[in-house]
Amino acid sequence: MREGRLPLVHEDRLFPADPSARAVARRLYAHVKDLPIVSPHGHTDPRWYAGNEPFPDPARLFVVPDHYIFRMLYSQGVRLEDLGIATKDGTEVETDGRRIWRRFAERYHLFRGTPTRTWLDHAFATLFDFDVRLSAETADLYYDRIAERLAEPAYRPRALFERFNIEVIATTESPLDPLVHHKAIRDSGWKGRVITAYRPDPVVDPEFDGFKANVEALGELTGCDVSTFAGYLEAHRKRRAFFKEMGATSTDHGHPSARTADLSPVEAEALYTRIMHSNVTSEDAELFRAQMLTEMAAMSLEDGLVMQIHPGSMRNHNAGLFARFGRDMGADIPAATDYVHALKPLLDRFGNERELTIILFTLDETAYSRELAPLAGHYPCLKLGPAWWFFDSPEGMRRYRELVTETAGFYNTVGFNDDTRAFPSIPARHDVARRVDCAFLAELVVTHRLDEDEAHELAHDLAYRLAKEAYKL
Amino acid sequence: MREGRLPLVHEDRLFPADPSARAVARRLYAHVKDLPIVSPHGHTDPRWYAGNEPFPDPARLFVVPDHYIFRMLYSQGVRLEDLGIATKDGTEVETDGRRIWRRFAERYHLFRGTPTRTWLDHAFATLFDFDVRLSAETADLYYDRIAERLAEPAYRPRALFERFNIEVIATTESPLDPLVHHKAIRDSGWKGRVITAYRPDPVVDPEFDGFKANVEALGELTGCDVSTFAGYLEAHRKRRAFFKEMGATSTDHGHPSARTADLSPVEAEALYTRIMHSNVTSEDAELFRAQMLTEMAAMSLEDGLVMQIHPGSMRNHNAGLFARFGRDMGADIPAATDYVHALKPLLDRFGNERELTIILFTLDETAYSRELAPLAGHYPCLKLGPAWWFFDSPEGMRRYRELVTETAGFYNTVGFNDDTRAFPSIPARHDVARRVDCAFLAELVVTHRLDEDEAHELAHDLAYRLAKEAYKL
Amino acid sequence: MREGRLPLVHEDRLFPADPSARAVARRLYAHVKDLPIVSPHGHTDPRWYAGNEPFPDPARLFVVPDHYIFRMLYSQGVRLEDLGIATKDGTEVETDGRRIWRRFAERYHLFRGTPTRTWLDHAFATLFDFDVRLSAETADLYYDRIAERLAEPAYRPRALFERFNIEVIATTESPLDPLVHHKAIRDSGWKGRVITAYRPDPVVDPEFDGFKANVEALGELTGCDVSTFAGYLEAHRKRRAFFKEMGATSTDHGHPSARTADLSPVEAEALYTRIMHSNVTSEDAELFRAQMLTEMAAMSLEDGLVMQIHPGSMRNHNAGLFARFGRDMGADIPAATDYVHALKPLLDRFGNERELTIILFTLDETAYSRELAPLAGHYPCLKLGPAWWFFDSPEGMRRYRELVTETAGFYNTVGFNDDTRAFPSIPARHDVARRVDCAFLAELVVTHRLDEDEAHELAHDLAYRLAKEAYKL
């Protein structure tokens, strides 16, 4: 048995095992591997690019903020307190970065076969020059070298942004966000292109924490009278315009379902009044979110912002953990998601608009071939977003292509999103997507379903062009 | 990068990349590739075989009638009017075949990776001898050569039927259809075997356009008193007998769900009265369709017609397009489909009948391994139809075999259906099915799950024998 | 075409066709193929090990008790009476083992491509030294040799148990079972480890045949007052303790859905009273089963028994067959199964308990990537059981790994269960699981997602260690 001292990233990783297919995949990949990164949807922190401060220690870069990492450790019995996750009531948690890092390193085998392992190894090898696996034995070697490097200027956010060859990256902000970091980036003279996206859940979802106060704040920010539905919609319009000024080309909507509605103005006004002036029923909350997707589509048709819909996650499934630690603790669990009935009211009104772009995502793979590909393969306004979240992984990406392509083709899809909060994962994630797409195209070539010249054009489209065009970047 | 001038169809297409598996697949395919085509379910126009007139221009052969083609162009912003699709109100649309063809040719890349591309290339290469891809540049070359050939006697419907080596083909007609074309074919002395199938949706589905008038017409055609449920059922019996005389061996039922019911005669009569004499509720409509599946099974047990059930499509999803252009505009979208509860009333009554054959189809792949294979692997009356519609494609066919075989075996399936309106696609579709099945069998052989002599027998069964036997052809 | 006289089991069966991946799979498998069998969940008959009587004739060993075999024959028109399946009313059925065997042998081709074929060939080759396929021609050759061998001491249950290298096997018993066979095994001095598991469906499911009488019997067995819910729960506690004494390390729950509930004591007592003293509504039955899952979790936290949940089967779907032959006739059909909402009440109470182990199974593959892997990849108390029932097959096992691993990792899974009633299938089933896992790991190695030293460790974990640890064996 070998020793574990192997290159952490192999040049042929994720390519097909069959030599003929691997050869085609290599040729395709060679032409796309160095393309700039277009990242039209994600959750990196604009403060990083604005302040350009060094990242803190290795644990606080890799472990503490990443719920993909700590959920796995938690599932195997590690307490979140021992990983330095802050509690809502301020009770004490681990503060020693090295001890957190060691707990993680000792359990690195838990990540075998996961996308987290793939991107971490990529970052360890390419950013920090490791060629030995992370483990209990190598924990301190890792910690020391990463800590040392993070203090160097070349590891500050803007330097990494440039090293990663990022052409443009979008962050995601609430309408209530003043976008001061985005303004600071612009005013700094730095050339990196960091744009925002309009994510109105806090002022659109009546079940969001502090919803009514959020709506009031939106009214104040915009000077609109949010006591009426018309005024509330006007506030959205103004705020969208401000986001557009700050670079936004898209909006994003994270609803529990894909339900849409198309109420009459009178019905909509009455619903808004109920929502704002009484205890909200879950049916009214769902109906209001549904109506607001249609309203947002109407505004997108006016102002040209591309609309992203991310439905189907049951957020904060773990009640005890939510009470103690809050949101984003790795306990958002997907549920079965219908699109064919849910989207009909919106599509009845705007489905045939050629100037509107709605990008649909799913966490429910069963919808790919059954509903999403047929819908996107017909309606001019619809496109399919890439494999999302738990499917943002080689097997998930492969299934996405296999389940979607035959019905929707490649050109009703929009390239790749990294959708990440983990800055050092960005190059790895785009690299994985490019490799998996090249592998898929290579299979089509060697089974004679596609000519190789077409596969080259497609590899470029999937890695670069489609994202730019769909998101108007 | 290569030039695009490659054979459009490669002799090894769709075979596994691995050389050992490919070698087995080639051997299996060699024995089945020239078998006659048995096409027990489809939608070609009997008028073609009756009249034997030349097909019109290339656009009207390939683009205008095929919603698989124009839905993809529509999804990418091409107006249906510009593709020559007739409007309901008669407002003007494009009439120039060459301009329609050019719009299609310029966008041929949209079909990369789709089954449409596969069969079109097959038809272009084998019927029209092209060895250069369709594109903006080759649009006129294609148009001229196809137009020229279509004028030749060898390209008339009957000549193509014989060239395609079709042993028997079924079309699908409403009970109200007088079957004059089928009669003309018989009377013509031509030896081609074209049979009908009984598709009673227009007189069984209370939500079908013109349902009540259709039922009245059925009464007149058969001389039955359709004012009672008993008389209505008798009209079906008579009409089924007429279809049987005209060659039919099967019926076909395209319902929104797989729901069945087994009402008492009193309840059924009362339901029929409500359906015929008041505004139909959607629940009554669903219940009537459900009851009629069970009634049709009872008749099949009497007259021996094989029963096909095609459930789970939400028809005419695009309201605006339906209003302007009518049915079959590429906007039929699948929905999640339950079988295990839905079929129980029918199965409780007829499930153990060994003389009854019910062939189940699905557009919801999730039902294959969960419900359909277990049901077909147990009930004597049930068989599984092949991958349908959006899964009528290499990946979809492969998933069908992978998801169905281990539980239902091969012998509870019924071979291939092309289910097509596109006459020139028939040889390509059967060829794809034969290749994908040979590839699947080859994988079983090289992983030592099946001996090669058994695979040869199975390849023949899947390509030819099972369809003939299941459909009593 | 070859003659059919081939080794029935090939040394490379189920390994990838690609030579590089196959080489890795062979190396991995070489290290795990001879590991002892740990079988923590199944349905073999403890009477076999207690009495150690010879198995009866070939038909009664292989065909008559195995509903996987006779359901397939039944689906193709063979009457169950002709296969010797006993009727409930005692009407006559076939009693001649050889005639039953011949009916099976003549139709052995029906099993092509199924897991039944795989394990039967394995048993025929390794236990009975056949190198020719079963068929009409070889039926008597098979029958005679198997019958002869079954009379030998080496083919008695304990000798086979030792030959199979079984380290421990669990059976499954009702709380009402006196466990006399388990006691006899212990008292016999034989070293084979056969343990029970607590399967309380007959006293937990109000829709189970004879439920109320079963509860009364539970009260008598334990001396508890089952007229109150508290007394009923105490009876479970006592009976679980008895099962634990007899070796049990787990409980098992076979509910129609995964629904759980967490009622207040007052509500639970009232529900119990309704259940025991009136006609049970289906909603009350479902709610009671739901509440009992949570109660059983509470008891598992006290007594340490591992909890297994097997939801989602619609039992006895074929009403006519159930009336004539009873349960387990091959007509249990899976249905769509929700976990994300259904498990929340239980998880809200116990989800974060690190000392509790709940193993989840599914017959609905759509839940793997969407719900089960995310849940098991987060909650400390949850683990995923292996591919179950109709997925207990090479393709099903492969899909399980592909759909689960990226999100839950390997270490939130629990190794393999054979779940079988068919004693001679045990070595074959574990061998298939080991081969499929080695094949999956080999794919990860050759696509450079895992190093080979890690794959060796994982192969051992999946074949042996994880089952022992998860089930506390």
Side-chain angles (χ1 to χ4, degrees):
Chain A
M1 222 165 292
R2 289 179 289 170
E3 279 305 288
R5 184 175 286 274
L6 286 168
L8 295 187
V9 289
H10 190 285
E11 62 180 1
D12 282 334
R13 65 191 179 282
L14 298 171
F15 290 161
D18 175 74
S20 65
R22 181 165 288 194
V24 177
R26 279 179 185 154
R27 289 198 293 272
L28 297 173
Y29 177 70
H31 285 273
V32 300
K33 74 185 169 71
D34 295 323
L35 286 171
I37 285 175
V38 173
S39 176
H41 175 76
H43 303 277
T44 58
D45 190 341
R47 187 185 313 251
W48 299 335
Y49 316 117
N52 202 31
E53 296 297 316
F55 285 105
D57 67 77
R60 283 177 186 80
L61 176 61
F62 283 110
V63 182
V64 180
D66 191 330
H67 57 74
Y68 287 87
I69 292 179
F70 66 68
R71 77 174 175 91
M72 182 66 91
L73 300 172
Y74 186 71
S75 79
Q76 289 279 318
V78 182
R79 296 168 64 242
L80 293 189
E81 291 84 347
D82 294 338
L83 297 170
I85 313 302
T87 53
K88 283 167 86 172
D89 63 4
T91 51
E92 206 171 323
V93 302
E94 180 66 73
T95 57
D96 182 337
R98 189 178 296 270
R99 290 173 67 184
I100 295 169
W101 184 260
R102 284 179 183 163
R103 288 184 185 114
F104 166 53
E106 286 161 11
R107 292 168 180 85
Y108 195 55
H109 66 283
L110 298 178
F111 296 92
R112 287 173 180 163
T114 70
T116 302
R117 160 72 180 268
T118 301
W119 80 255
L120 284 168
D121 275 4
H122 186 277
F124 294 155
T126 60
L127 289 179
F128 302 102
D129 300 313
F130 288 107
D131 61 0
V132 58
R133 278 205 303 266
L134 180 61
S135 66
E137 290 70 37
T138 61
D140 283 344
L141 171 74
Y142 264 73
Y143 193 85
D144 292 336
R145 190 187 299 171
I146 296 172
E148 192 183 288
R149 296 276 177 93
L150 291 181
E152 296 173 11
Y155 287 80
R156 296 218 173 182
R158 291 184 182 178
L160 288 175
F161 185 103
E162 288 155 13
R163 175 173 175 168
F164 293 168
N165 195 18
I166 297 174
E167 182 174 312
V168 54
I169 195 166
T171 64
T172 313
E173 273 78 35
S174 156
L176 304 181
D177 192 296
L179 304 184
V180 291
H181 303 301
H182 288 82
K183 187 159 187 317
I185 295 165
R186 296 200 157 196
D187 294 347
S188 74
W190 177 54
K191 297 292 178 211
R193 186 170 172 209
V194 178
I195 62 178
T196 184
Y198 189 73
R199 171 92 169 212
D201 301 0
V203 294
V204 156
D205 178 1
E207 294 175 328
F208 205 96
D209 263 2
F211 167 74
K212 286 178 194 172
N214 293 340
V215 172
E216 296 303 333
L218 180 67
E220 280 166 36
L221 261 175
T222 55
C224 293
D225 172 12
V226 296
S227 71
T228 68
F229 190 53
Y232 165 79
L233 293 180
E234 188 56 26
H236 275 291
R237 268 185 213 98
K238 286 199 177 174
R239 205 63 190 155
R240 290 169 64 110
F242 172 63
F243 270 61
K244 243 186 113 167
E245 275 172 44
M246 299 305 289
T249 69
S250 68
T251 70
D252 183 30
H253 308 273
H255 291 199
S257 80
R259 187 168 158 192
T260 64
D262 190 17
L263 303 177
S264 71
V266 171
E267 291 168 320
E269 188 73 52
L271 173 62
Y272 183 70
T273 303
R274 287 201 304 280
I275 290 291
M276 294 300 288
H277 294 285
S278 55
N279 289 325
V280 180
T281 65
S282 64
E283 170 54 22
D284 265 358
E286 178 76 354
L287 184 60
F288 188 74
R289 290 187 297 258
Q291 178 64 21
M292 283 308 296
L293 284 182
T294 307
E295 300 289 353
M296 288 284 143
M299 290 183 203
S300 277
L301 199 55
E302 290 169 13
D303 65 18
L305 292 180
V306 170
M307 187 173 182
Q308 300 172 90
I309 305 181
H310 284 92
S313 174
M314 185 168 177
R315 307 276 172 181
N316 312 310
H317 192 274
N318 188 327
L321 220 64
F322 179 63
R324 181 154 172 73
F325 297 97
R327 300 183 146 259
D328 294 328
M329 289 297 123
D332 295 351
I333 311 291
T337 309
D338 160 78
Y339 293 84
V340 66
H341 304 97
L343 293 176
K344 197 165 189 316
L346 188 158
L347 292 171
D348 280 350
R349 190 151 152 213
F350 298 118
N352 298 302
E353 294 291 345
R354 295 182 289 172
E355 299 308 312
L356 176 64
T357 302
I358 300 176
I359 301 175
L360 298 174
F361 293 81
T362 197
L363 292 167
D364 179 359
E365 294 185 84
T366 68
Y368 280 148
S369 63
R370 189 180 58 217
E371 301 176 32
L372 290 172
L375 286 166
H378 167 69
Y379 280 102
C381 73
L382 294 182
K383 295 268 184 294
L384 292 193
W388 179 36
W389 191 2
F390 283 124
F391 310 127
D392 184 358
S393 57
E395 297 291 339
M397 291 172 179
R398 182 180 55 75
R399 289 196 298 270
Y400 169 80
R401 291 286 177 213
E402 288 176 357
L403 289 161
V404 159
T405 307
E406 291 182 320
T407 303
F410 289 104
Y411 293 98
N412 285 308
T413 66
V414 301
F416 184 61
N417 285 179
D418 55 68
D419 190 27
T420 194
R421 295 164 205 276
F423 191 52
S425 77
I426 290 175
R429 288 178 191 269
H430 286 262
D431 186 66
V432 165
R434 290 170 186 189
R435 287 174 177 274
V436 172
D437 281 339
C438 288
F440 179 73
L441 292 167
E443 296 283 357
L444 294 183
V445 170
V446 298
T447 55
H448 307 288
R449 285 181 270 178
L450 195 69
D451 292 330
E452 192 168 333
D453 66 315
E454 300 178 286
H456 275 284
E457 191 176 302
L458 276 164
H460 189 278
D461 290 343
L462 302 182
Y464 184 75
R465 188 176 66 86
L466 289 178
K468 281 192 74 159
E469 289 189 6
Y471 282 91
K472 305 182 179 176
L473 294 169
Chain B
M1 220 166 293
R2 289 179 290 169
E3 280 305 288
R5 184 174 287 273
L6 286 168
L8 295 187
V9 290
H10 190 284
E11 61 180 0
D12 283 333
R13 64 192 180 281
L14 299 170
F15 291 160
D18 175 74
S20 64
R22 181 166 288 193
V24 177
R26 278 180 185 153
R27 288 198 294 272
L28 297 174
Y29 176 71
H31 284 273
V32 300
K33 74 185 171 70
D34 295 326
L35 287 171
I37 286 176
V38 173
S39 176
H41 176 77
H43 302 279
T44 57
D45 190 340
R47 186 185 314 250
W48 298 334
Y49 316 117
N52 200 32
E53 295 299 317
F55 285 105
D57 67 77
R60 283 177 186 79
L61 175 61
F62 283 110
V63 182
V64 180
D66 191 330
H67 57 74
Y68 288 87
I69 293 179
F70 65 68
R71 76 174 176 91
M72 181 67 91
L73 300 172
Y74 186 71
S75 79
Q76 290 278 319
V78 181
R79 296 167 65 244
L80 293 189
E81 291 84 347
D82 293 337
L83 296 170
I85 313 301
T87 52
K88 284 166 87 171
D89 63 3
T91 51
E92 205 170 324
V93 301
E94 178 68 73
T95 55
D96 182 337
R98 188 178 296 269
R99 290 173 66 184
I100 296 169
W101 184 259
R102 284 178 183 164
R103 289 183 184 115
F104 165 54
E106 286 161 11
R107 292 167 180 86
Y108 196 55
H109 66 284
L110 299 177
F111 296 92
R112 288 173 180 164
T114 70
T116 302
R117 160 72 180 268
T118 301
W119 80 254
L120 284 169
D121 275 2
H122 185 279
F124 294 156
T126 60
L127 290 179
F128 302 103
D129 300 312
F130 288 107
D131 61 1
V132 59
R133 279 203 304 266
L134 180 61
S135 67
E137 290 70 37
T138 61
D140 284 342
L141 172 74
Y142 264 71
Y143 193 85
D144 292 335
R145 189 186 301 170
I146 296 172
E148 190 183 292
R149 296 277 177 93
L150 291 181
E152 298 173 12
Y155 287 79
R156 296 217 174 183
R158 291 183 182 180
L160 289 175
F161 185 102
E162 287 155 14
R163 173 173 176 168
F164 292 168
N165 195 19
I166 296 174
E167 182 174 312
V168 54
I169 196 167
T171 63
T172 313
E173 272 79 34
S174 156
L176 304 181
D177 192 295
L179 305 184
V180 291
H181 303 301
H182 289 81
K183 188 159 187 317
I185 295 166
R186 296 201 159 197
D187 295 347
S188 73
W190 177 55
K191 296 295 177 209
R193 185 171 172 211
V194 178
I195 63 179
T196 183
Y198 189 73
R199 171 93 169 211
D201 301 1
V203 294
V204 155
D205 178 0
E207 293 174 329
F208 205 96
D209 263 2
F211 167 74
K212 287 178 194 173
N214 294 340
V215 172
E216 296 303 332
L218 179 68
E220 278 166 38
L221 261 175
T222 55
C224 294
D225 172 12
V226 296
S227 72
T228 69
F229 189 53
Y232 166 78
L233 293 181
E234 187 56 26
H236 275 291
R237 269 186 213 98
K238 286 198 176 172
R239 204 64 190 155
R240 290 168 62 109
F242 172 63
F243 270 61
K244 244 185 110 166
E245 276 173 44
M246 298 306 289
T249 69
S250 68
T251 70
D252 182 30
H253 307 273
H255 291 200
S257 80
R259 186 166 159 194
T260 64
D262 189 17
L263 303 177
S264 71
V266 171
E267 291 169 320
E269 188 74 51
L271 174 62
Y272 183 71
T273 302
R274 287 202 304 280
I275 290 292
M276 294 300 288
H277 293 285
S278 55
N279 288 327
V280 181
T281 66
S282 65
E283 170 54 22
D284 265 358
E286 178 75 353
L287 184 59
F288 188 73
R289 290 187 296 259
Q291 177 64 21
M292 283 308 296
L293 284 182
T294 307
E295 300 289 354
M296 288 284 142
M299 291 183 202
S300 278
L301 198 56
E302 290 168 13
D303 64 19
L305 292 180
V306 169
M307 187 173 180
Q308 300 173 90
I309 305 181
H310 284 91
S313 174
M314 185 166 177
R315 307 275 171 182
N316 312 311
H317 192 274
N318 189 327
L321 221 62
F322 179 63
R324 180 151 173 76
F325 297 96
R327 300 184 146 255
D328 295 327
M329 289 298 123
D332 295 351
I333 311 291
T337 309
D338 160 78
Y339 293 84
V340 66
H341 304 97
L343 293 176
K344 197 164 189 315
L346 188 159
L347 292 172
D348 279 349
R349 189 152 153 212
F350 298 118
N352 298 300
E353 296 291 347
R354 294 183 289 172
E355 300 308 313
L356 177 65
T357 302
I358 300 176
I359 300 175
L360 298 175
F361 294 81
T362 196
L363 292 167
D364 178 359
E365 295 185 84
T366 69
Y368 281 147
S369 63
R370 187 180 60 216
E371 302 177 32
L372 290 172
L375 286 167
H378 167 68
Y379 281 100
C381 73
L382 294 182
K383 295 268 183 294
L384 292 193
W388 177 37
W389 191 3
F390 282 125
F391 309 128
D392 183 359
S393 56
E395 298 290 337
M397 291 173 179
R398 183 180 54 76
R399 290 196 298 270
Y400 169 80
R401 291 286 175 213
E402 288 177 356
L403 289 161
V404 158
T405 307
E406 291 183 320
T407 301
F410 289 105
Y411 293 99
N412 286 308
T413 65
V414 302
F416 183 62
N417 285 180
D418 55 68
D419 191 26
T420 196
R421 294 165 206 276
F423 192 52
S425 77
I426 290 176
R429 289 178 189 269
H430 286 263
D431 187 65
V432 165
R434 290 170 187 189
R435 287 174 176 273
V436 172
D437 281 339
C438 288
F440 180 73
L441 292 168
E443 296 282 356
L444 294 184
V445 170
V446 297
T447 55
H448 306 288
R449 286 182 270 178
L450 194 70
D451 293 329
E452 191 168 333
D453 67 316
E454 300 178 287
H456 275 285
E457 192 175 303
L458 276 165
H460 189 276
D461 290 345
L462 302 182
Y464 183 74
R465 188 175 66 86
L466 290 178
K468 281 192 74 160
E469 289 189 5
Y471 282 90
K472 306 182 178 175
L473 294 169
Chain C
M1 223 166 291
R2 289 179 290 171
E3 279 306 286
R5 184 174 288 274
L6 285 169
L8 295 188
V9 289
H10 191 285
E11 61 179 0
D12 282 333
R13 64 192 179 281
L14 299 171
F15 290 161
D18 175 74
S20 65
R22 180 166 287 194
V24 177
R26 279 180 184 153
R27 289 198 294 272
L28 298 173
Y29 177 70
H31 285 272
V32 300
K33 74 185 170 68
D34 296 324
L35 286 171
I37 285 176
V38 173
S39 176
H41 176 77
H43 303 278
T44 58
D45 190 340
R47 188 187 313 252
W48 299 333
Y49 316 117
N52 201 32
E53 296 298 318
F55 285 105
D57 67 77
R60 283 177 185 80
L61 175 60
F62 282 109
V63 182
V64 180
D66 191 330
H67 57 73
Y68 288 87
I69 293 179
F70 66 67
R71 76 173 176 91
M72 182 67 90
L73 300 172
Y74 186 70
S75 79
Q76 289 278 319
V78 181
R79 297 167 65 243
L80 293 189
E81 291 85 347
D82 293 338
L83 297 170
I85 313 301
T87 52
K88 284 167 87 171
D89 63 3
T91 50
E92 206 171 324
V93 301
E94 179 66 72
T95 56
D96 182 339
R98 189 179 295 270
R99 290 173 66 183
I100 295 170
W101 184 260
R102 284 178 183 164
R103 288 185 185 114
F104 166 52
E106 287 162 10
R107 293 168 180 85
Y108 196 55
H109 66 282
L110 298 177
F111 297 92
R112 287 173 181 163
T114 71
T116 302
R117 161 71 181 269
T118 301
W119 81 254
L120 284 169
D121 275 3
H122 186 277
F124 294 157
T126 60
L127 291 179
F128 302 103
D129 301 312
F130 288 107
D131 60 1
V132 59
R133 279 204 304 266
L134 181 62
S135 66
E137 290 70 36
T138 62
D140 283 344
L141 172 75
Y142 264 71
Y143 193 85
D144 292 335
R145 189 187 299 171
I146 296 173
E148 191 183 289
R149 296 277 176 93
L150 292 180
E152 296 173 13
Y155 286 80
R156 296 217 173 184
R158 291 184 182 178
L160 289 175
F161 185 102
E162 288 155 12
R163 174 174 176 167
F164 292 169
N165 195 18
I166 296 174
E167 182 174 310
V168 54
I169 196 168
T171 63
T172 313
E173 273 78 35
S174 156
L176 304 180
D177 192 296
L179 304 184
V180 291
H181 302 302
H182 288 82
K183 188 160 186 317
I185 295 166
R186 295 200 160 198
D187 294 348
S188 73
W190 177 56
K191 296 295 177 206
R193 187 171 171 209
V194 178
I195 62 178
T196 184
Y198 190 72
R199 170 93 170 211
D201 300 1
V203 294
V204 156
D205 178 1
E207 293 175 328
F208 204 96
D209 263 2
F211 167 74
K212 286 177 194 174
N214 293 341
V215 173
E216 297 302 333
L218 179 68
E220 281 166 36
L221 261 175
T222 55
C224 293
D225 172 12
V226 297
S227 71
T228 69
F229 189 53
Y232 166 79
L233 293 181
E234 187 56 26
H236 274 291
R237 269 186 212 98
K238 286 197 176 175
R239 205 63 192 156
R240 289 168 64 110
F242 171 65
F243 270 61
K244 243 186 112 167
E245 276 172 45
M246 298 306 289
T249 69
S250 68
T251 70
D252 183 30
H253 307 273
H255 291 199
S257 80
R259 186 167 160 193
T260 64
D262 189 18
L263 303 177
S264 72
V266 170
E267 291 169 320
E269 189 72 52
L271 174 62
Y272 183 71
T273 302
R274 287 202 304 280
I275 290 291
M276 294 300 288
H277 294 284
S278 56
N279 289 326
V280 181
T281 64
S282 65
E283 169 54 22
D284 266 359
E286 179 76 353
L287 184 60
F288 189 72
R289 290 187 296 259
Q291 178 64 21
M292 284 308 296
L293 284 182
T294 307
E295 300 289 354
M296 288 284 141
M299 291 184 201
S300 278
L301 199 56
E302 291 169 11
D303 65 17
L305 293 179
V306 169
M307 187 172 180
Q308 301 171 89
I309 305 180
H310 284 92
S313 173
M314 186 168 177
R315 307 274 172 182
N316 312 310
H317 192 274
N318 189 327
L321 221 63
F322 179 63
R324 180 153 172 74
F325 297 96
R327 299 183 147 258
D328 295 328
M329 290 298 123
D332 295 351
I333 311 291
T337 308
D338 159 78
Y339 294 83
V340 67
H341 304 98
L343 293 176
K344 197 164 189 315
L346 188 158
L347 292 171
D348 280 349
R349 191 152 151 210
F350 297 119
N352 297 301
E353 295 291 347
R354 295 183 289 172
E355 301 307 313
L356 176 65
T357 302
I358 300 176
I359 301 175
L360 298 175
F361 293 82
T362 197
L363 292 167
D364 179 358
E365 294 185 84
T366 68
Y368 280 148
S369 63
R370 187 181 59 216
E371 302 177 31
L372 290 172
L375 286 166
H378 167 70
Y379 281 102
C381 74
L382 295 182
K383 296 268 182 296
L384 292 193
W388 178 36
W389 192 2
F390 282 125
F391 310 128
D392 183 359
S393 56
E395 298 291 338
M397 291 172 180
R398 183 180 54 76
R399 290 197 298 270
Y400 169 80
R401 290 287 175 213
E402 288 176 357
L403 289 160
V404 159
T405 307
E406 291 183 320
T407 302
F410 289 104
Y411 293 99
N412 286 308
T413 65
V414 302
F416 183 61
N417 286 179
D418 55 67
D419 191 29
T420 194
R421 293 164 206 276
F423 192 53
S425 77
I426 290 176
R429 288 178 190 269
H430 286 263
D431 186 66
V432 165
R434 290 171 186 188
R435 287 174 178 274
V436 172
D437 281 340
C438 288
F440 179 73
L441 292 168
E443 297 282 357
L444 294 184
V445 170
V446 298
T447 55
H448 306 288
R449 285 182 271 179
L450 194 68
D451 292 330
E452 191 168 334
D453 67 316
E454 300 179 287
H456 275 285
E457 192 177 303
L458 276 165
H460 189 277
D461 290 344
L462 302 182
Y464 183 75
R465 188 175 68 85
L466 289 178
K468 281 192 76 160
E469 289 189 6
Y471 282 90
K472 305 183 179 177
L473 294 170

